[in-house]
Amino acid sequence: MDDTLVALNRRRGLWQELDADIRTSWLDSRRQAREKEIRTVRDVILPGDPDAHDADEVDSSTGIRDSLLYLPHPYLTPGGKEAAFSEMYAWDTFFINEGLRAHEHFGAIQDHLRNQLFLIDRYGFVLTGNRTYYLGRSQIPLGAEGARRYFMEQPDRHLMLQALGGFSREYETYWTADHHLTPTGLSTARDLLNEGLRPELAAEAEVFDFTAVFEGDVRNCTPIMINVALARAETALGWMASELGLEELASKWADRFEQRKSLINHYIWNEERKGYYEFQYTTGTSLPFRSLAMFMPLWAGIASPEQAQCLVSRHLPDFLLPFGCPFTDKAYPSPHPEFQHLQWSYPAAWPSFHLLLIEGLDAYGYTAEADVVASRLLLTILRKFEETGKLWEKYHAADGGIEIPVERYPTAPMQGWTAATVAILGRRFRLDK
């Protein structure tokens, strides 16, 4: 750890220059999806992209697609100033907002929040992204928690009331509706349209696209990340209700959190293996795959101190590779015949998951372990930035590079959550001083 901190401190000037560039580029990189942009924005399809499936939206002679959906406010894409994406993504936006918070760009966060509430009002839930081919699915529901973090620093009772209503509606009519609720009382993942992709792949893309940890069909499982995020949403909605003086409603959300916490610990905690494992409710079995998702109950305050200790002492060491934490502890065989390699797998280290893991470890007092996770990833990002002049979507946890077995497309240069990670973790180690 000391050597890592020394190496980080040697790059203090580099980090400060990069952080200053990120601070400026957030606002310079925002996009629009109003009538003008919808008429003119057309994107090249990545080879092998399974989402490029709507024949009426693809010009076969040019291989370009026009499917952008309207949003009323400016937004940041996962690519940021890189040209990787044109749409606003549900999952990515949470982490982008954390970077915006670090740089106090609260107006941009409010624009994102208003866009999400618009999507809920129009479609009933926050779409994976504002594209026609995402009309059947969402992503891990982090919107309510993101709104809570914004309101903690920017109190706005009128917008908070709108957010409470909107995210409550999404919770009730999408995530815990009959199509997502399982007999366990926990939720699963689905795509309600399944156009183009196989149903198994379309549903899995609502969580991670794609991974081995659901044994090929997430619809048979109660994904840890979805249910942990719903628990965090229950806490966030309860907080908003309390801030608005709606104590009876706040109590209802608190009760729902306790119920979900109990269900997660009943079905997803595996006492024999002393960890959280994906649960296949159709067979009543705990699947054998270990991923960073097993630590996410720490992030939501679901684990007991004893469970947290088991996670940290028994499982975390297997994820602490020299250049970051891979999503799975090893490369599991792909259950999908379309793909030999899966990007949500070893050896890919995703900056977004590191931020959640670090928060969870901190919440239970494992600050030293959190510092190890944070310092290794940040140093990897800075070293690769020195070499390439770019930030990247993910990194190779074992060798620190960006050459990772390809599932659909090579590792993309991007701003998004990696820029947020740079801003947040640099401040953790006081590189801004």
Side-chain angles (χ1 to χ4, degrees):
M1 177 61 180
D2 289 341
D3 289 344
T4 305
L5 288 179
V6 169
L8 281 176
N9 277 302
R10 286 175 180 166
R11 291 166 173 82
R12 183 182 299 269
L14 172 70
W15 179 88
Q16 290 176 349
E17 291 179 10
L18 176 56
D19 183 68
D21 179 67
I22 291 169
R23 179 189 293 275
T24 301
S25 63
W26 286 129
L27 301 187
D28 292 345
S29 304
R30 290 192 294 175
R31 301 197 182 201
Q32 297 272 12
R34 297 186 296 199
E35 183 176 2
K36 174 184 175 183
E37 289 78 21
I38 289 171
R39 288 176 178 269
T40 60
V41 172
R42 297 168 70 81
D43 297 307
V44 177
I45 299 171
L46 294 171
D49 184 352
D51 272 323
H53 52 67
D54 296 319
D56 60 333
E57 295 170 356
V58 177
D59 184 330
S60 60
S61 65
T62 62
I64 56 177
R65 160 181 72 197
D66 186 8
S67 55
L68 201 64
L69 291 172
Y70 173 82
L71 287 175
H73 302 285
Y75 59 88
L76 278 152
T77 75
K81 63 183 179 181
E82 301 289 347
F85 304 91
S86 294
E87 57 273 5
M88 173 181 166
Y89 278 86
W91 163 256
D92 299 71
T93 296
F94 175 83
F95 302 100
I96 291 169
N97 284 350
E98 288 297 278
L100 291 169
R101 279 207 309 138
H103 290 130
E104 299 183 332
H105 289 316
F106 296 111
I109 299 174
Q110 184 183 121
D111 284 337
H112 288 164
L113 176 55
R114 290 189 182 279
N115 280 339
Q116 290 179 326
L117 294 176
F118 170 82
L119 290 171
I120 294 172
D121 184 59
R122 186 160 188 170
Y123 303 109
F125 59 96
V126 178
L127 307 182
T128 293
N130 54 311
R131 291 286 189 181
T132 56
Y133 45 86
Y134 291 142
L135 286 169
R137 69 175 182 260
S138 184
Q139 281 185 312
I140 297 166
L142 299 177
E145 171 60 16
R148 183 190 70 83
R149 295 180 183 211
Y150 169 75
F151 292 129
M152 285 183 69
E153 299 194 49
Q154 298 290 306
D156 181 336
R157 290 179 64 84
H158 180 70
L159 185 56
M160 191 186 301
L161 187 60
Q162 290 179 279
L164 175 60
F167 289 115
S168 294
R169 176 190 172 193
E170 181 187 48
Y171 177 99
E172 300 282 3
T173 65
Y174 187 78
W175 288 110
T176 61
D178 289 344
H179 47 69
H180 273 76
L181 197 63
T182 74
T184 65
L186 297 172
S187 293
T188 188
R190 298 197 183 279
D191 186 309
L192 304 184
L193 295 180
N194 291 335
E195 293 185 2
L197 294 177
R198 280 194 300 112
E200 295 88 345
L201 288 176
E204 194 168 288
E206 194 164 61
V207 197
F208 312 116
D209 58 327
F210 301 107
T211 181
V213 302
F214 304 118
E215 211 167 58
D217 196 343
V218 69
R219 299 171 301 171
N220 295 329
C221 303
T222 56
I224 296 171
M225 272 308 302
I226 282 181
N227 287 285
V228 163
L230 287 173
R232 197 76 186 225
E234 289 154 354
T235 301
L237 292 167
W239 180 88
M240 287 185 230
S242 181
E243 288 292 303
L244 292 166
L246 305 172
E247 295 303 334
E248 185 175 343
L249 183 59
S251 179
K252 183 194 81 169
W253 286 113
D255 289 343
R256 286 193 171 183
F257 169 78
E258 291 299 330
Q259 291 166 8
R260 187 173 302 276
K261 175 181 176 180
S262 177
L263 290 172
I264 288 173
N265 281 320
H266 177 72
Y267 288 107
I268 296 179
W269 174 261
N270 185 299
E271 181 60 25
E272 181 181 354
R273 300 182 202 150
K274 301 294 184 184
Y276 291 100
Y277 290 79
E278 301 295 350
F279 182 72
Q280 194 175 69
Y281 72 89
T282 54
T283 60
T285 58
S286 181
L287 296 179
F289 314 106
R290 290 196 300 173
S291 76
L292 288 183
M294 72 167 15
F295 300 97
M296 293 305 104
L298 300 179
W299 180 72
I302 288 168
S304 69
E306 293 74 23
Q307 288 170 318
Q309 196 277 330
C310 286
L311 291 170
V312 172
S313 64
R314 183 165 178 163
H315 299 288
L316 185 61
D318 294 331
F319 289 86
L320 292 177
L321 270 60
F323 301 96
C325 297
F327 182 70
T328 57
D329 62 319
K330 61 183 179 180
Y332 296 103
S334 171
H336 299 305
E338 297 92 333
F339 306 116
Q340 180 180 358
H341 302 292
L342 301 174
Q343 60 180 3
W344 286 91
S345 180
Y346 181 96
W350 295 83
S352 52
F353 248 93
H354 284 67
L355 292 179
L356 301 181
L357 174 60
I358 291 162
E359 281 193 21
L361 292 170
D362 280 341
Y364 281 77
Y366 293 100
T367 306
E369 289 81 358
D371 281 344
V372 171
V373 172
S375 61
R376 289 184 184 181
L377 180 69
L378 180 58
L379 185 55
T380 297
I381 294 172
L382 293 178
R383 282 171 170 165
K384 188 52 63 174
F385 181 77
E386 282 181 304
E387 179 183 331
T388 66
K390 291 183 179 293
L391 302 176
W392 297 87
E393 179 186 37
K394 54 189 179 287
Y395 297 84
H396 195 301
D399 67 22
I402 56 173
E403 298 298 324
I404 296 172
V406 174
E407 171 196 88
R408 288 183 287 156
Y409 58 87
T411 300
M414 64 189 298
Q415 188 172 351
W417 57 46
T418 307
T421 301
V422 169
I424 292 165
L425 298 189
R427 285 165 174 76
R428 180 186 185 92
F429 296 111
R430 303 182 66 81
L431 298 182
D432 56 328
K433 303 301 182 184

